[in-house]
Amino acid sequence: MQAIVETLFDAVYLATVVILGIVMILKSKGRKQYRLFGIMAVVLGLGDSFHLVPRAYALCTTGLENFTFPLGLGKLITSVTMTVFYVLLYYVWRARYHIKGNNGITAAVYLLSALRIVLCLMPQNQWFDAAPPLRWGIYRNIPFALLGLLVIVLFYQWARSQKDTPFRWLWLTIVLSFGFYIPVVLWADTIPMIGMLMIPKTCAYVWTVLIGYQAMAQENRKNI
């Protein structure tokens, strides 16, 4: 039953974010923020597929324990693409609110992103082992969490100050995604049920993509 339910959920999720992303790219009509949002959604879906597709195949065949290498490789790729996701989201913020300068913030985004990717690539992560060390899961997620916090603060402050109704809850979607993700990193290996939090975490990312898509669709209707 888990294999069927999880596979269907993941298939719907991946198809939804990739399709919405492609539609946003095609219908952005030269608006940078929506083209970036579309690319961001596609990166999210394709990146997650490297982990979710092997996982679905493993669940539906001989079990996760027999797919250690492809699952580990998928997690590594997903970790990198999720970092790219937040860099793109940062540039959505810059495009939407016509931000100029702020080189210090940009430098912080690139520094945290680079540190996250370097930590992900370190062999000490033991991605291809059945029981990788928890401490490296924490190490590589520290700059990732700081990057997420930075993006949360930026969208919260600017959506509020600009009375940006379509984007007023985007900061919350990121808060929720990290709120559900952090317990999984810390305790899923010892309490397997904690892994179920990946479902609401995934829903939070879908909400993020829907915010961008609905904002674009609303603008398109006004311009007809």
Side-chain angles (χ1 to χ4, degrees), residues 19-38:
I19 290 172
L20 288 177
I22 292 172
V23 170
M24 291 184 73
I25 293 170
L26 295 176
K27 295 188 176 182
S28 60
K29 298 180 180 179
R31 289 165 295 181
K32 184 178 180 181
Q33 61 169 307
Y34 296 124
R35 185 173 68 254
L36 285 171
F37 218 115

Side-chain angles (χ1 to χ4, degrees), residues 9-61:
F9 176 83
D10 290 341
V12 171
Y13 157 64
L14 293 174
T16 298
V17 295
V18 171
I19 290 172
L20 288 177
I22 292 172
V23 170
M24 291 184 73
I25 293 170
L26 295 176
K27 295 188 176 182
S28 60
K29 298 180 180 179
R31 289 165 295 181
K32 184 178 180 181
Q33 61 169 307
Y34 296 124
R35 185 173 68 254
L36 285 171
F37 218 115
I39 295 171
M40 186 183 77
V42 172
V43 167
L44 173 67
L46 294 183
D48 278 356
S49 69
F50 281 96
H51 170 61
L52 295 178
V53 171
R55 180 177 174 85
Y57 185 77
L59 287 172
C60 294
T61 54

Side-chain angles (χ1 to χ4, degrees), residues 117-148:
I117 292 173
V118 168
L119 288 172
C120 287
L121 295 175
M122 297 295 287
Q124 289 88 343
N125 287 284
Q126 299 178 30
W127 290 106
F128 310 124
D129 290 359
L134 172 61
R135 65 181 181 278
W136 274 89
I138 296 173
Y139 294 159
R140 66 177 179 263
N141 279 298
I142 290 174
F144 186 53
L146 292 174
L147 176 62

Side-chain angles (χ1 to χ4, degrees), residues 14 35 41 72-73 86 102 143-144 161 196 221 223:
L14 293 174
R35 185 173 68 254
L73 179 62
Y86 279 100
N102 283 302
F144 186 53
S161 65
M196 295 294 291
R221 285 193 297 268
N223 294 329

Side-chain angles (χ1 to χ4, degrees), residues 9 55 84 87 96 111 141 161 173:
F9 176 83
R55 180 177 174 85
V84 175
V87 174
R96 185 166 185 85
L111 178 62
N141 279 298
S161 65
T173 69

